[in-house]
Amino acid sequence: MSTLNYQERIPNNVDLAGNRQLQRALEHWQPRFLNWWKELGPERYQDADVYLRTAISVDENGWANYGYVKMPDYRWGIFLADQERDRKIGFGDLYGQPVWQQVPAEFRSVLRRLIVTQGDTEPASVEQQRLLGLTCPSLYDLRNLFQVNVEEGRHLWAMVYLLHAHFGRDGREEAEELLARHSGDADKPRILGTFNEPISDWLSFFMFTYFTDRDGKYQLKSLAESAFDPLARSCRFMLMEEAYHMHVGENGIGRIVKRTLDVMREVGSEDPEAVRRAGAIDLATIQRYVNFWFSSSLDLFGSEQSSNAASAFANGIKGRPDETSFEDHLALDQVCDIEVPDGTGGMRHEAVPMRNAMNEVTRRAFIADCEGGFIRWNRLIQKSGFETRLFLPSPRFRRAIGAWNGQPVAPDGSIIAREAWETRKGGWLPTEADGAFIRSLMRQVVEPGKVAGWIAPPARKVNHLDADYEFVKFH
Ligand SMILES: [Fe+2]
Ligand SMILES: [Fe+2]
């Protein structure tokens, strides 16, 4: 295990001081990162003292160190999970061979593209969320937002380190580009579509952290299996932080549901208009946001059938999430059953060679993981004696990538006529009016212990501190 150098300008456990050229290159990138953070990071609160956790080492006790910090002073560090002795490639044609500490020339461009694509999402989400602090429902939520934001900043550092350390001049140029592309920018947008949509309200923020950060989790899990060991170790450590982002989403949606149920009991009705008049978000609107964010997150996994995915698996570059839980790590003679439109308004099954279906394998693991929150939220609804249930729409619903791209499919998965889709989609997806209503609720609450009326108070503590703690101190 390499030693931890927390006192250096760039905290790290990769012995940066032992590689002066790399250290200088990253110290050159650091002020650019800070400029980007001040310009496109959280609006208005760069001077505030925020109660944040900072990773200062990769062992159990050290990776979450709490205290007040001004965000521009956050210690963004480079941390890789400990190296596993004699680690071997766990899947594909190179199964059983030693993992790589350097990038093999033949896989250089594909690895670079993977790292850049992953890296691009990290600053993108900070940019998407930059105005949310102005409408936070409580100080507790404001702190959580900033925690997520600084950690996405650290994930950018993790990827930029790999680019600088292993990809020479191309890598340094890509690291510059990661700060040059901006979410929603007309000329230089972020690489993936979902990361160019602004997140202008907190319902969307919680949906994003529940669904889109979970997509991130599954991408990182696949890359954590990679034969390129520095990438695998980097992703394994990022996953520890990522878990918290999804918790913010699940908890946030759960608190919204709880508040809605309280209001439904007060007004004695499930009627969306009555719920809205009382200042809460009706369950039907929450379902429409689920439909939107779940379907757009599914597209991030790519097509069901992909020769790129097959070769990334064959070559040891990208595995399946939790590869060790599979019995056959070669996946040569297996098939994956997928459903595709039959062209006449129906559906047929197709047997795809397993290696070509790796995107679908990962997507299915993601979908199963998405169910957890729904079980808990529906239990709340059931306990309150109401009939409505929240649910994940069919994976065929509103897809823009793969076999179901553009197909008219209802949330229950049934294939419908195109005209029916056009007339009914307003009931399935957030409308302009929904957006306007949600935005009308977004009023900032920053008095310690106070919470906006559309969301229940937090039940969870932050590092043993109660929810009325002064998590952010303004100046
Ligand atoms: Fe991240
Ligand atoms: Fe995240």
Side-chain angles (χ1 to χ4, degrees):
M1 182 169 111
S2 42
T3 46
L4 174 81
N5 296 304
Y6 192 67
Q7 299 315 321
E8 285 185 35
R9 243 170 89 184
I10 303 168
N12 71 90
N13 70 345
V14 295
D15 189 25
L16 212 49
N19 184 341
R20 293 295 300 277
Q21 199 188 348
L22 176 60
Q23 186 179 31
R24 268 199 303 273
L26 285 167
E27 284 179 356
H28 186 67
W29 188 80
Q30 190 177 39
R32 293 165 194 246
F33 168 82
L34 273 175
N35 285 343
W36 165 80
W37 177 270
K38 287 179 192 159
E39 204 179 311
L40 290 169
E43 175 88 353
R44 195 187 294 172
Y45 298 112
Q46 303 283 348
D47 277 341
D49 291 306
V50 188
Y51 189 77
L52 292 174
R53 77 175 183 194
T54 304
I56 59 167
S57 78
V58 296
D59 58 44
E60 295 257 320
N61 315 318
W63 74 280
N65 207 282
Y66 286 88
Y68 282 106
V69 57
K70 293 190 200 329
M71 284 185 280
D73 300 334
Y74 190 78
R75 304 283 280 148
W76 283 284
I78 299 165
F79 300 109
L80 272 57
D82 288 339
Q83 190 163 0
E84 213 176 286
R85 193 189 289 271
D86 300 323
R87 185 175 163 242
K88 301 282 191 291
I89 299 174
F91 60 92
D93 295 343
L94 310 172
Y95 180 78
Q97 294 184 17
V99 293
W100 320 316
Q101 298 306 328
Q102 297 299 330
V103 180
E106 66 267 43
F107 303 136
R108 195 183 157 85
S109 66
V110 54
L111 270 166
R112 192 183 63 209
R113 200 192 61 233
L114 270 177
I115 292 169
V116 166
T117 308
Q118 176 63 39
D120 195 66
T121 65
E122 315 285 359
S125 70
V126 175
E127 293 167 350
Q128 287 173 292
Q129 297 163 14
R130 62 188 297 268
L131 298 177
L132 284 175
L134 306 177
T135 57
C136 65
S138 73
L139 270 192
Y140 170 93
D141 291 291
L142 186 62
R143 185 217 89 88
N144 289 351
L145 168 71
F146 292 159
Q147 184 71 62
V148 170
N149 292 160
V150 293
E151 286 174 355
E152 300 304 6
R154 208 201 62 73
H155 295 175
L156 171 61
W157 268 97
M159 295 295 114
V160 163
Y161 161 72
L162 293 174
L163 289 170
H164 271 255
H166 295 280
F167 295 88
R169 188 188 171 151
D170 305 357
R172 289 193 293 277
E173 283 170 10
E174 293 284 12
E176 298 292 319
E177 288 296 301
L178 284 167
L179 296 177
R181 283 185 294 271
H182 297 142
S183 179
D185 192 288
D187 300 321
K188 275 185 164 263
R190 290 294 175 184
I191 296 170
L192 301 170
T194 312
F195 292 87
N196 286 303
E197 310 275 353
I199 297 177
S200 47
D201 66 77
W202 281 75
L203 178 57
S204 299
F205 171 66
F206 292 134
M207 293 287 168
F208 183 94
T209 41
Y210 188 80
F211 290 112
T212 315
D213 278 287
R214 195 176 309 271
D215 156 78
K217 168 183 170 183
Y218 278 83
Q219 301 301 340
L220 293 178
K221 270 175 161 295
S222 305
L223 296 174
E225 304 289 338
S226 180
F228 180 37
D229 202 40
L231 173 62
R233 290 167 58 204
S234 189
C235 291
R236 259 181 283 149
F237 185 64
M238 286 158 72
L239 280 163
M240 294 170 74
E241 292 169 325
E242 208 58 64
Y244 176 73
H245 306 180
M246 286 167 286
H247 161 77
V248 167
E250 175 168 345
N251 210 260
I253 297 171
R255 285 164 53 211
I256 295 175
V257 170
K258 185 168 183 297
R259 177 64 189 144
T260 300
L261 294 169
D262 287 346
V263 165
M264 281 159 62
R265 273 192 304 258
E266 279 165 30
V267 300
S269 165
E270 284 200 59
D271 174 36
E273 283 314 313
V275 172
R276 285 186 177 198
R277 271 196 304 274
I281 305 172
D282 53 291
L283 294 177
T285 299
I286 296 173
Q287 181 65 53
R288 286 194 287 277
Y289 275 71
V290 164
N291 293 348
F292 176 86
W293 285 99
F294 177 65
S295 53
S296 72
S297 298
L298 290 180
D299 281 340
L300 290 169
F301 292 88
S303 291
E304 294 86 350
Q305 304 191 51
S306 160
S307 53
N308 282 344
S311 53
F313 185 86
N315 296 328
I317 285 166
K318 196 175 173 185
R320 289 169 287 193
D322 304 306
E323 181 63 44
T324 48
S325 68
F326 292 85
E327 257 170 45
D328 172 5
H329 301 296
L330 303 187
L332 272 175
D333 313 313
Q334 302 163 325
V335 292
C336 177
D337 178 80
I338 65 165
E339 293 162 341
V340 297
D342 68 2
T344 63
M347 178 167 87
R348 62 182 172 79
H349 288 262
E350 204 171 300
V352 178
M354 189 58 82
R355 285 187 174 189
N356 289 68
M358 288 305 170
N359 290 343
E360 185 61 17
V361 171
T362 308
R363 181 166 26 237
R364 287 178 188 177
F366 164 81
I367 292 171
D369 199 46
C370 284
E371 295 282 0
F374 288 81
I375 294 168
R376 285 181 276 276
W377 305 327
N378 284 331
R379 210 178 285 146
L380 286 179
I381 302 175
Q382 188 183 8
K383 267 201 215 149
S384 299
F386 293 102
E387 299 295 318
T388 308
R389 297 290 179 267
L390 296 169
F391 61 93
L392 287 175
S394 161
R396 301 190 286 275
F397 172 73
R398 197 187 78 102
R399 293 297 303 282
I401 275 181
W404 295 92
N405 177 8
Q407 296 291 319
V409 175
D412 69 1
S414 55
I415 303 166
I416 57 176
R418 270 190 201 279
E419 307 77 67
W421 163 260
E422 287 303 328
T423 51
R424 297 185 65 188
K425 69 179 178 192
W428 295 329
L429 292 166
T431 60
E432 293 273 315
D434 291 338
F437 170 69
I438 299 297
R439 281 192 299 279
S440 77
L441 296 177
M442 300 294 125
R443 295 275 177 274
Q444 192 186 50
V445 177
V446 288
E447 204 179 318
K450 291 269 172 355
V451 182
W454 52 269
I455 186 167
R460 297 287 273 268
K461 299 177 182 216
V462 176
N463 191 32
H464 318 300
L465 297 174
D466 284 324
D468 59 0
Y469 190 73
E470 193 177 2
F471 291 108
V472 183
K473 292 180 179 167
F474 306 107
H475 295 287

